[in-house]
Amino acid sequence: MLKFNYRNADAMVVGEANGLNIAQEFDNYKETIASIIADLNKRKDKPGQWLQWMNLGYSEETIWYAKEFASMVENRFENILVLGIGGSALGGIAVTEALLKPYWNLLSAEERNNFPRIFFLDNIDPDTMQGLLNVLDLKKTLVNVITKSGSTAEIMSQYMILKDMLEKELGDDYRKNIVVTTDKNVGVLKQLADQEGYKTFIIPDDVGGRFSVFSAVGLVPFALVGIDIDELTNGIKDMDLALKNTDIHENIAAQNALIHYLMDTQKGKKLSVMMPYSSRLRYVADWYAQLWAESLGKEYDKNGNKVNVGPTPIKALGVTDQHSQIQLYNEGPNDKLITFIRVENFDTTIEIPNIFEYTGIGYLGGKTINDLLNAEADSTKVALSDYCRPTLTISIDKITPYSMGQLLYMLEVQTAIAGELYNIDTFNQPGVEQAKNYTYALMGRSGYEDSAQQLQEKMASV
Ligand code: PA5
C-alpha cells in the first residue's frame, strides 16, 4: 500500500500559524468524513452522479476488450499516435511515462519487446504537429482518437488531418489504422466511427474526462504498449477497498483531502504543490493539476452561493526544482502546501565512482545516485519545516502498474472528498465550456451565431 505521512503539516512541527492540530481535526471531522465516504459509495451507481469512475477498476469487459484488441494488432504497428487533450490525454501520458522504460520511443523494437512507440498529440501547435507527422511512418501508425464529447475542436481537426493523410497513403485500408474512444451518444465522432467502420471503444456514462484514465481512454493505449493492465486494475481495486473505510484514521484519501481543505480555508495555503522525486512521475503532477484544478475551482457552491473556491495546483519536480522553486517555497509567501511523492526503491542503482579526493566532491565517491536523491528529498523536507512550511509525503515502494493504479485512484477519491468538503460540484467544468463555446463561435460552427456576434462585440471593445 501507499504510505501517507502528514507529520510535517502538523502545528507541532510547523507551528500553529501554518500547521493543523491534525489528530484533533481528524476527531472534529470524523462524522462528516464518514458520511461523505458512505454517501459517495451510495451514490456511485446512480445515473447523473458522475461517479462511475469509482467502478472502472471492476470493468472486466473493458479490460478484456482492450487486451483482445492489443493482441489482434500485435506486431502490426510501429507507432501509436493518441489524439486527445485534457482528461483524454493527461492520464495516458502520466501512466505511460511512469511505466514504460525511460526514453521508450528512442529504444529499438527489440528493447521494446516489439511493442510500439507511443506519441500523444495533446496540442495543436502547427509546428510540433507537423514535426511529429514528419517523423512518423503513417502506414505503420495506429491513430487512437480519444474524445469523450466527440466534438472537441482540437481533436476533431487533428482527426480530419490524419484521416485525410492516411487515406491518401493507404487508400481504403486507412480504416484499419484508426481506433476511436468516445461516448456512445454525444458528439459526432461515434456517428462517424459507425459510418466509417472504425474499431470503437466506449467511455461509460457518468465518467468525466479527468476521471477517465482507467476507462478505455487509458486501458487501450496501455494494453497496446504492453503495460500490465490486470496489475494496474488490481491496484485500483485494492485501493478502492481500502478507501471504502469510513474511519478517517484508516483512510488516506480522506486524510489528504481534509488536510488540504483545512490548510486552504484556515491557514491560507491557497497553493497546492505536487513534487514527485522521480522523473518517471513528473507527469502524474500534470494529470493531478488538471484533476484538482477543474474539479475544485468553482464559482458557486451546491446551494448556489458565489464562493470562488479552489486551491491552485502547481507542479514541481524533485530534485530539479530544488534549483528553481525551493528558494520561493522556503522564503517567499507562506501560502503553499507541498506534497512530495517519494519512491522507496528504484529499478536501478547507480554508483558514483570513487575517483577524486578533492574535499568538495570526494565525499560523493562510493555513494549512489539513489542515496543522493533520497538525501536531497529528506533535507528539502526538513529545510521547509525549519521555515515553518507545511509538507506532506506520499511514499510508493516501487513504480509498478499496481502502485500506479493505487496512486492515481487514491488521488481521484481524495479529489471527490475534497469537493464534498468545499460543497461544490466536483464533476462539472462550466469555466472550460465557456471558452470551448467561444471557439466554436469564432470558427463559425452553426448554432453558435449569437455567441459569435457577442464575441465580436466584446473583442472590438477591448
Ligand atoms: O476533464 C475534462 O472534462 C476536460 O479536460 C476534457 O477531458 C477535455 O476538455 C477534452 O474533452 P473531450 O474528451 O470531450 O475531447
Side-chain angles (χ1 to χ4, degrees):
M1 285 308 253
L2 306 180
K3 290 197 190 106
F4 178 54
N5 186 326
Y6 47 76
R7 188 180 171 276
N8 283 20
D10 200 285
M12 192 177 65
V13 176
V14 289
E16 287 289 337
N18 299 295
L20 300 164
N21 295 307
I22 294 179
Q24 181 62 56
E25 296 295 3
F26 284 180
D27 281 346
N28 296 347
Y29 278 84
K30 205 169 175 298
E31 272 149 36
T32 309
I33 290 290
S35 86
I36 289 175
I37 297 169
D39 182 56
L40 286 171
N41 281 290
K42 204 165 88 196
R43 284 196 283 130
K44 77 181 163 67
D45 296 317
K46 288 198 188 140
Q49 298 292 314
W50 291 93
L51 288 168
Q52 274 302 317
W53 54 271
M54 294 179 81
N55 291 326
L56 293 175
Y58 301 92
S59 175
E60 298 296 331
E61 221 187 13
T62 314
I63 299 163
W64 191 87
Y65 280 118
K67 287 199 296 191
E68 188 214 35
F69 178 61
S71 69
M72 260 169 55
V73 298
E74 203 175 330
N75 295 326
R76 270 195 29 218
F77 296 103
E78 214 167 68
N79 311 302
I80 306 298
L81 172 58
V82 175
L83 310 181
I85 198 163
S88 291
L90 288 163
I93 297 171
V95 172
T96 52
E97 283 288 329
L99 295 178
L100 294 178
K101 287 182 194 162
Y103 304 103
W104 179 256
N105 288 344
L106 298 181
L107 302 179
S108 67
E110 200 185 356
E111 287 163 324
R112 285 183 271 111
N113 296 329
N114 291 319
F115 286 110
R117 303 185 294 174
I118 185 158
F119 300 87
F120 290 83
L121 201 47
D122 69 337
N123 202 354
I124 47 166
D125 177 317
D127 293 340
T128 49
M129 185 168 175
Q130 188 58 56
L132 180 59
L133 295 176
N134 290 345
V135 298
L136 295 180
D137 177 352
L138 287 185
K139 286 197 198 82
K140 295 182 186 158
T141 301
L142 177 66
V143 178
N144 188 184
V145 191
I146 308 181
T147 160
K148 163 89 176 166
S149 63
S151 60
T152 301
E154 295 90 333
I155 304 313
M156 294 313 288
S157 328
Q158 290 176 346
Y159 159 69
M160 285 152 85
I161 293 163
L162 261 304
K163 185 227 176 222
D164 190 50
M165 289 176 76
L166 282 168
E167 200 167 3
K168 282 178 182 143
E169 282 225 20
L170 293 165
D172 272 353
D173 270 351
Y174 77 91
R175 293 181 177 84
K176 294 184 185 145
N177 288 43
I178 296 179
V179 52
V180 158
T181 309
T182 191
D183 189 271
K184 69 177 188 305
N185 298 316
V186 182
V188 288
L189 189 58
K190 176 66 170 63
Q191 227 172 296
L192 271 171
D194 289 347
Q195 273 163 24
E196 297 273 322
Y198 302 144
K199 173 79 185 166
T200 302
F201 289 90
I202 298 299
I203 307 170
D205 291 344
D206 294 329
V207 176
R210 57 191 173 274
F211 287 86
S212 67
V213 56
F214 298 130
S215 70
V217 167
L219 296 189
V220 171
F222 301 159
L224 286 167
V225 292
I227 289 173
D228 187 341
I229 59 175
D230 289 313
E231 267 305 289
L232 186 87
T233 43
N234 284 341
I236 305 167
K237 285 187 281 194
D238 286 353
M239 184 51 79
D240 182 54
L241 213 61
L243 300 182
K244 282 199 161 71
N245 196 327
T246 55
D247 180 356
I248 187 165
H249 299 97
E250 304 294 331
N251 188 315
I252 58 174
Q255 294 171 357
N256 209 351
L258 181 65
I259 293 171
H260 274 86
Y261 170 71
L262 294 176
M263 281 288 190
D264 173 14
T265 55
Q266 293 183 5
K267 304 288 169 182
K269 310 300 175 212
K270 300 277 171 210
L271 308 180
S272 165
V273 179
M274 177 175 275
M275 188 164 181
Y277 270 75
S278 154
S279 294
R280 291 168 67 188
L281 298 182
R282 77 192 302 162
Y283 294 102
V284 170
D286 270 50
W287 168 82
Y288 177 70
Q290 186 216 13
L291 184 72
W292 202 241
E294 277 193 5
S295 301
L296 303 181
K298 297 290 150 75
E299 185 163 22
Y300 294 100
D301 71 9
K302 285 187 190 170
N303 307 323
N305 303 312
K306 194 163 176 164
V307 286
N308 294 110
V309 291
T312 301
I314 297 176
K315 35 196 190 173
L317 177 66
V319 304
T320 309
D321 285 316
Q322 285 176 206
H323 298 269
S324 82
Q325 298 184 31
I326 285 294
Q327 169 61 30
L328 170 77
Y329 295 177
N330 273 333
E331 296 196 342
N334 198 342
D335 54 0
K336 299 167 199 70
L337 174 59
I338 301 169
T339 303
F340 297 117
I341 304 184
R342 192 182 160 116
V343 178
E344 298 302 343
N345 294 293
F346 287 86
D347 289 353
T348 315
T349 302
I350 300 181
E351 288 188 9
I352 307 168
N354 220 335
I355 51 173
F356 293 119
E357 289 190 355
Y358 301 105
T359 42
I361 55 170
Y363 69 96
L364 293 168
K367 312 273 174 27
T368 66
I369 285 288
N370 310 52
D371 296 334
L372 181 60
L373 181 92
N374 285 335
E376 296 207 31
D378 289 341
S379 31
T380 302
K381 184 168 157 177
V382 173
L384 281 160
S385 74
D386 288 347
Y387 279 99
C388 300
R389 312 288 154 138
T391 62
L392 302 167
T393 303
I394 298 170
S395 305
I396 297 175
D397 180 39
K398 245 175 128 35
I399 301 175
T400 61
Y402 183 85
S403 65
M404 287 304 289
Q406 289 213 321
L407 176 65
L408 269 56
Y409 186 73
M410 191 278 281
L411 293 169
E412 289 181 337
V413 175
Q414 171 195 322
T415 306
I417 296 173
E420 295 305 309
L421 289 166
Y422 283 104
N423 190 33
I424 45 100
D425 182 343
T426 314
F427 304 105
N428 66 0
Q429 53 281 321
V432 181
E433 304 303 336
Q434 176 84 335
K436 272 192 180 182
N437 292 338
Y438 279 158
T439 306
Y440 293 146
L442 278 180
M443 295 295 285
R445 182 172 168 178
S446 74
Y448 290 81
E449 292 79 3
D450 289 349
S451 299
Q453 170 82 26
Q454 284 167 18
L455 200 57
Q456 298 295 0
E457 283 164 16
K458 286 183 190 173
M459 286 165 65
S461 66
V462 180

